[in-house]
Amino acid sequence: MLYWTVPLRDLPAGASELSYQVTHTQALAALPDAALSLRGDSGTLRLVGNLDPGDYGLASALPVDGAENPGSVKLPLDGSQLRQTNQFTLVVETDPASTELPRVNGVPVSAAQLGHVRPSADGQRERRSYYALPVHPGKNLIEFGREQVTLNYAGPTVRYEVTPLSAQADGSTPVRVRIRALDAAGLPAEQPTVTLRTSAEPLRPDARPGEVGYQLELHNGEGVLELRPQITPTALRLELLRDQQVSEFRVDVRPGGAALGVGLVSAAVGLGGTLPLAQRLHVQARAYYEGPLAGGQLYVAADSAGLPREDSGKARGLTYGDSSSEAVPLRGSDPVAALYEHPAFRVAYRDQEVPVNVVPLPGRMTALSASTKGNVRVSGFAALLPGDLVQAQVLRPDGTRLLRLGQEDIAPASETLTVVTRDAQTGTELGRRVLTRGVEYVLDERTGIVSLAQPPDATDAELHRVEVLASYRLSGAAAGRQPAYGAQVEVGDAQRRFGVAAVSLDGRGTIGAAGELRRGGLQVSGRALLSGGVQAEAALDGHWRSSDALSVRAHYQDEAYQGLGKGEAGLRASGRYQVMLGERLGAALDATYQRAPSKQGSDEQDGGGQGEVGALLTYRAQPWTVGGGLRWGFGSRSGLSAAGQLGYEGKQVSLSVTHSQPLSGTVRPTSDFKVAYRLTPHAALALTDHYVWGDAHSAALTLDTRLGNVNYAVAYELPGAGGAGNRARFGVSTSVPLGARTTLGLRGSALYDLQSGGSELGAGADLRWQGERAVATLGGDLAWRSGQLQAVVRGGVSGDLSERLNVSADATAELGARQGLKFGVGYAYRSAGFSSLGYGRYAGGSLGGSRPEASAGVSAEYRQGALTVRGGVDARALLSDPGSLTYQPSLGLRAELNARFSVGGWARALVQPASSQVLPGYGLEAGVQVLPGTWLSAGYNLAGFEGLPSAGLYTRPGAYLRLDVALDEGAGKKTGKAHRR
């Protein structure tokens, strides 16, 4: 791609045409049309075509043909960069009688490398060319006489540099981040792509769909990542993969600084009649404003009908015929939400994760919060939580992609799902991650059924326990609100922090203190909570060399503890230290201990526990590793065991087998087995098995990737279908490419208790395919639990049948002990004068909840000049009630007589065939623009009723008046805009 930059000052006065000419030594194919943009301090204005700002930002000046250094060293050019080869050609000019040799990094060049000698251009000197001279990564010094020239050679990547180019929350400008891959000398490295994961949505397609994860293309070690525009200030997370190490970065999105405001008030009142005024008066108001205030930025949203929620593809239509995205700046359970962002602090009243992290809170809530910024951070929150709030409900994964909350009619967008991983030995929380609505799961709020893009197994790849915590509200509950509040003080930075907090929730108070220290390869963290009793946990992780590691975990909770984050009472601890004693000899020490409170009627004595310590020596002779050692158990099961280990580490296959055999006492033999097959440089298929002979057995089949499974909307994007909607409806999580268009995901787990004979088995696979005009997925799960087999299949397809018509379908089926089916189909047609949307949905059996139903609808709009015609029909039936089928056809017409006057009419009917009931409604209306942005309408409904929503129309019979007022930030100014409903 070639770019020309033409300063406006260089154009002739009055010039109205800009032309260019391309010449080439050979015939050229037809060139695409040129793009033209106007760039200034305030941004870029696109004039003709589509100029990619990201690609332009990576462009560099073309080298001047025939350019050479002044002096004796002609080539290479001083400061130039050498790529793709570690050899170069050196050209010097000197006296013909000179025998001096050039030096590269202090070493004289061999005379045998002199390849070409000819006179210089002036004929007074001799031009000598030395070929195939070696260089090392970084800067290389070339010397000849007293002259010096540097040549840079790109080495392997040792670090990344991340620089925000544009990171303003204005809702329209993409967040652009420059990523540079640097070698040990700080020079751009020779790396074609970088694998990354980000908390925001990338805008560009994957540069290499055939590789694991999302790939960003790099040119000369540099690339620009473009992310979806942000509407409110936030901190974006960015993770970059280098070899097998993950580098984490944070990109702060600042307020945009511009003022934007829009509002609408619509009030309709029925004239006459016997109904009270409250029933004849309909008022709807909504507004949004953002703008600078006192050195910060203020965001306010209000809606008399309740703030909107993120759609996530769950609305009546399945596809909308475009690839636009929907974003809600402020959400909350109340009609008003606000955010004030200042460089020194933040104040918000909205749905949020409150700024208290010392004490584990159950999830998001609508609350008033305040927090300062810097190394000393003071924060707090206060909220009135609905009495119907369900907090920290534990959901045990059953091996399928479906989870059931156990409640129906969940309040829209009120849920928070958190995946928590706990140590298998101690129960210590190893990590938690909040799932993203519409990306990693979809909730059917009517039935309370969660459909996951990737089902969590009961254990992870290391056989740690996995659970899902759910917090949500119920719709329409009459319970009053209960106060909740908390405060926190935290000191520190990214390397070290310490904080204390106090929280009151559900009438119970919890006080906590937590700290964390990161220094080099050492990480220490701890937390203590007090609420009637005590809960405490600590963790220590250290990595000094690639083979030396230390890990310690401890968790304690007494029976009296009743605060937040309550788990199992008792003491649990584990630790492991691994070190290399020489080039081939290594050692490993490990220990576990757990003690649970005695149960009433149990034979165990209070304070009794079970522990084990072990030591293992290993010897490495690549690719094999062998080892042996001893283990000692104490407590209810005690004794000495001999331990042995055998391992293999190849380029693609790795294997590890460890077994401990009792020599005395009552301890049981234990075997651990792990095999991994590397499918790509960044993904491996692994099987892990832990077997306690005569007691229990657990296993997991996983696809391990360093950055996890990325599932961005851009992978589902079509010209006629938004990627976010497709992903929400039928997205699956895959990680291994089978080709340029197809990716695969695999998983499996097994748990078996030999004493009780109970077993849990799970397996699943996902496929995703994307073409130029279609995208499709198919995923399936099998789960065996308590002697019952359960299967779930989920899939979908979306495609553009033409430039104007898009169709979409998705389905989920449950087979086995529970049987159910849920599916949806839809289409979208868009043209200049006509558009139409249609959908159909079905939910029955175990996926239909207590009220299985089917629904369908079609709507269309025709515009021709000043005439607009709208029509449609919606239908719904409860599957358990054969006579419940009800449908509502509607028709509306509006004619613009001129810029100020309009007339229109509407008609609709509510029909229930089983009862032979028909409720008609129809009326006429005329409107006049009395002021810019203000319309007064008068109408008369010959018949009317309150039916399905119909764009806010007043539908009661009789005469009515309606006032519509639309405002923006320019209201009251001479340049104010006129608005129409």
Side-chain angles (χ1 to χ4, degrees):
M1 186 71 69
L2 296 178
Y3 296 96
W4 286 268
T5 302
V6 182
L8 289 178
R9 63 177 179 271
D10 294 346
L11 295 178
S16 60
E17 182 178 288
L18 184 64
S19 61
Y20 68 97
Q21 182 179 2
V22 177
T23 59
H24 197 261
T25 56
Q26 298 178 356
L28 283 175
L31 297 176
D33 294 337
L36 179 64
S37 295
L38 183 65
R39 293 172 55 86
D41 295 337
S42 58
T44 300
L45 176 62
R46 182 187 304 170
L47 301 177
V48 178
N50 185 16
L51 190 150
D52 187 347
D55 188 68
Y56 176 77
L58 296 176
S60 57
L62 292 174
V64 180
D65 188 26
E68 294 183 348
N69 298 315
S72 298
V73 182
K74 297 298 182 182
L75 294 174
L77 294 177
D78 188 19
S80 59
Q81 184 94 4
L82 185 66
R83 295 183 177 277
Q84 299 179 346
T85 179
N86 59 355
Q87 296 179 338
F88 74 103
T89 298
L90 173 62
V91 179
V92 299
E93 289 188 0
T94 185
D95 186 270
S98 174
T99 59
E100 183 180 5
L101 292 174
R103 296 180 302 280
V104 178
N105 297 321
V107 179
V109 172
S110 172
Q113 293 178 289
L114 178 62
H116 190 264
V117 179
R118 62 182 176 87
S120 62
D122 58 8
Q124 303 297 317
R125 296 162 65 83
E126 190 173 72
R127 189 178 180 92
R128 302 174 182 175
S129 299
Y130 297 86
Y131 296 105
L133 302 183
V135 292
H136 60 66
K139 290 186 178 181
N140 294 266
L141 181 63
I142 302 170
E143 300 173 283
F144 187 62
R146 296 183 177 180
E147 294 186 14
Q148 293 183 344
V149 170
T150 59
L151 174 64
N152 300 317
Y153 173 55
T157 301
V158 298
R159 65 182 178 93
Y160 291 109
E161 180 183 88
V162 172
T163 305
L165 300 179
S166 62
Q168 291 188 333
D170 59 8
S172 59
T173 304
V175 176
R176 301 178 64 246
V177 180
R178 176 187 288 121
I179 298 175
R180 300 182 67 205
L182 304 177
D183 63 10
L187 301 172
E190 185 62 34
Q191 181 174 330
T193 61
V194 58
T195 303
L196 61 88
R197 180 171 64 184
T198 171
S199 58
E201 293 285 344
L203 290 179
R204 296 186 183 181
D206 193 337
R208 293 188 176 181
E211 293 188 9
V212 175
Y214 179 83
Q215 316 291 325
L216 175 68
E217 188 173 7
L218 303 180
H219 299 275
N220 296 330
E222 184 176 308
V224 174
L225 174 65
E226 288 193 0
L227 303 173
R228 182 163 293 171
Q230 302 297 300
I231 49 181
T232 54
T234 185
L236 302 181
R237 186 184 69 255
L238 180 62
E239 297 175 340
L240 306 178
L241 182 63
R242 177 177 62 84
D243 296 328
Q244 296 301 310
Q245 298 181 0
V246 178
S247 301
E248 298 182 2
F249 298 89
R250 170 180 163 147
V251 178
D252 289 322
V253 180
R254 305 294 185 183
L260 169 68
V262 62
L264 172 67
V265 178
S266 179
V269 60
L271 304 179
T274 60
L275 293 175
L277 179 62
Q279 296 185 26
R280 292 184 287 114
L281 180 63
H282 289 200
V283 179
Q284 183 178 14
R286 60 178 60 136
Y288 176 78
Y289 173 79
E290 64 178 72
L293 176 66
Q297 189 84 352
L298 175 66
Y299 302 81
V300 180
D303 193 330
S304 59
L307 292 174
R309 61 183 176 90
E310 293 173 312
D311 184 82
S312 300
K314 295 177 289 186
R316 293 158 63 194
L318 269 72
T319 180
Y320 297 100
D322 60 28
S323 57
S324 61
S325 62
E326 178 184 353
V328 179
L330 296 171
R331 295 191 294 120
S333 58
D334 296 317
V336 178
L339 167 67
Y340 181 69
E341 186 78 15
H342 190 275
F345 62 91
R346 171 185 292 173
V347 179
Y349 180 73
R350 60 174 177 171
D351 179 76
Q352 59 185 305
E353 293 183 25
V354 297
V356 172
N357 54 20
V358 170
V359 175
L361 292 168
R364 300 175 67 93
M365 63 183 73
T366 297
L368 173 65
S369 68
S371 58
T372 63
K373 302 178 181 180
N375 290 335
V376 179
R377 298 174 292 278
V378 180
S379 59
F381 76 94
L384 290 175
L385 300 182
D388 61 344
L389 180 65
V390 179
Q391 302 184 57
Q393 177 184 349
V394 179
L395 305 178
R396 301 291 184 185
D398 64 356
T400 71
R401 66 192 64 228
L402 298 181
L403 295 175
R404 286 175 164 81
L405 299 182
Q407 301 276 1
E408 296 188 355
D409 297 324
I410 309 301
S414 67
E415 82 283 353
T416 300
L417 298 183
T418 306
V419 176
V420 178
T421 304
R422 300 188 183 277
D423 186 272
Q425 300 293 331
T426 66
T428 304
E429 182 178 310
L430 302 179
R432 62 171 51 207
R433 184 173 61 88
V434 177
L435 299 181
T436 304
R437 179 190 303 114
V439 177
E440 297 172 289
Y441 75 92
V442 173
L443 170 64
D444 186 336
E445 293 146 351
R446 187 181 61 85
T447 62
I449 297 177
V450 178
S451 179
L452 298 157
Q454 181 183 17
D457 290 313
T459 63
D460 65 1
E462 302 300 325
L463 303 181
H464 296 307
R465 192 170 75 245
V466 177
E467 60 188 24
V468 178
L469 300 182
S471 299
Y472 53 89
R473 291 188 300 109
L474 302 177
S475 294
R481 293 192 169 191
Q482 299 179 0
Y485 48 88
Q488 175 175 295
V489 178
E490 189 176 39
V491 181
D493 51 24
Q495 301 300 318
R496 60 185 66 85
R497 66 179 182 88
F498 176 79
V500 294
V503 172
S504 176
L505 195 65
D506 285 340
R508 293 193 301 267
T510 304
I511 299 175
E516 184 178 17
L517 173 65
R518 296 172 181 258
R519 179 168 295 177
L522 182 66
Q523 180 177 344
V524 183
S525 62
R527 179 170 65 185
L529 302 175
L530 179 64
S531 178
V534 176
Q535 183 193 88
E537 60 184 29
L540 170 64
D541 291 286
H543 299 273
W544 293 272
R545 293 180 297 181
S546 60
S547 56
D548 295 357
L550 172 65
S551 177
V552 178
R553 298 280 188 275
H555 179 88
Y556 171 77
Q557 178 182 303
D558 61 28
E559 294 181 277
Y561 181 76
Q562 297 296 324
L564 294 169
K566 180 182 178 181
E568 299 178 3
L571 172 63
R572 298 171 180 84
S574 66
R576 179 176 176 83
Y577 177 57
Q578 180 176 307
V579 62
M580 289 300 296
L581 304 176
E583 183 177 349
R584 296 187 175 184
L585 187 63
L589 301 173
D590 67 269
T592 62
Y593 179 78
Q594 53 185 336
R595 184 185 63 198
S598 62
K599 299 180 181 179
Q600 189 173 4
S602 173
D603 293 335
E604 294 185 22
Q605 296 296 322
D606 188 18
Q610 175 66 42
E612 189 177 51
V613 296
L616 188 73
L617 284 176
T618 59
Y619 180 80
R620 296 183 180 180
Q622 292 294 345
W624 295 96
T625 300
V626 294
L630 296 173
R631 304 193 66 82
W632 172 256
F634 56 93
S636 58
R637 293 187 180 275
S638 60
L640 182 66
S641 300
Q645 181 183 25
L646 175 65
Y648 173 83
E649 186 74 31
K651 290 184 178 180
Q652 283 192 296
V653 178
S654 62
L655 173 69
S656 175
V657 179
T658 304
H659 178 77
S660 61
Q661 184 64 36
L663 301 177
S664 66
T666 58
V667 293
R668 288 176 171 169
T670 304
S671 299
D672 290 280
F673 171 83
K674 183 172 184 177
V675 60
Y677 180 79
R678 188 157 298 282
L679 301 171
T680 71
H682 300 320
L685 181 65
L687 173 64
T688 306
D689 194 336
H690 176 70
Y691 189 67
V692 181
W693 295 78
D695 190 358
H697 178 212
S698 57
L701 176 68
T702 57
L703 268 174
D704 299 334
T705 58
R706 297 297 299 176
L707 284 180
N709 296 340
V710 293
N711 197 29
Y712 295 126
V714 70
Y716 298 87
E717 198 83 35
L718 297 172
N726 288 333
R727 176 186 56 191
R729 287 191 304 276
F730 55 84
V732 298
S733 186
T734 59
S735 58
V736 176
L738 299 181
R741 299 180 182 273
T742 308
T743 53
L744 169 71
L746 292 174
R747 63 197 163 273
S749 64
L751 298 174
Y752 186 57
D753 190 328
L754 296 179
Q755 293 181 338
S756 65
S759 61
E760 297 180 17
L761 304 175
D766 294 314
L767 280 172
R768 185 178 69 204
W769 177 87
Q770 184 178 23
E772 294 181 0
R773 303 194 67 86
V775 58
T777 65
L778 178 63
D781 312 308
L782 286 174
W784 175 272
R785 173 177 289 187
S786 302
Q788 293 183 333
L789 179 65
Q790 193 70 30
V792 174
V793 180
R794 184 193 190 199
V797 61
S798 180
D800 295 328
L801 300 185
S802 69
E803 294 183 356
R804 299 178 178 180
L805 179 61
N806 172 260
V807 296
S808 182
D810 62 87
T812 301
E814 193 171 25
L815 308 171
R818 293 187 298 265
Q819 297 188 12
L821 175 63
K822 178 181 178 181
F823 68 83
V825 296
Y827 77 89
Y829 180 88
R830 287 179 179 265
S831 64
F834 179 78
S835 61
S836 177
L837 300 176
Y839 73 94
R841 292 182 182 274
Y842 173 93
S846 60
L847 299 180
S850 62
R851 303 185 304 278
E853 68 174 30
S855 60
V858 175
S859 62
E861 179 180 277
Y862 173 78
R863 289 179 178 268
Q864 185 64 41
L867 179 65
T868 302
V869 180
R870 298 185 179 95
V873 59
D874 288 280
R876 178 173 177 262
L878 298 178
L879 301 181
S880 58
D881 184 358
S884 64
L885 174 63
T886 305
Y887 62 92
Q888 177 178 284
S890 63
L891 180 66
L893 181 146
R894 187 182 186 90
E896 309 286 344
L897 301 181
N898 53 41
R900 294 191 59 192
F901 295 95
S902 67
V903 295
W906 67 275
R908 66 177 181 175
L910 190 63
V911 183
Q912 190 175 62
S915 61
S916 301
Q917 291 191 3
V918 178
L919 294 178
Y922 45 91
L924 299 174
E925 182 181 279
V928 59
Q929 184 184 35
V930 294
L931 291 171
T934 303
W935 282 78
L936 179 64
S937 301
Y940 187 83
N941 297 331
L942 287 84
F945 63 95
E946 293 293 330
L948 297 179
S950 182
L953 290 176
Y954 182 86
T955 58
R956 292 186 181 275
Y960 65 91
L961 290 176
R962 188 179 71 247
L963 181 67
D964 300 321
V965 180
L967 303 171
D968 62 13
E969 70 276 7
K973 301 179 182 179
K974 292 183 178 180
T975 57
K977 304 174 184 178
H979 296 265
R980 296 296 305 270
R981 284 188 81 248

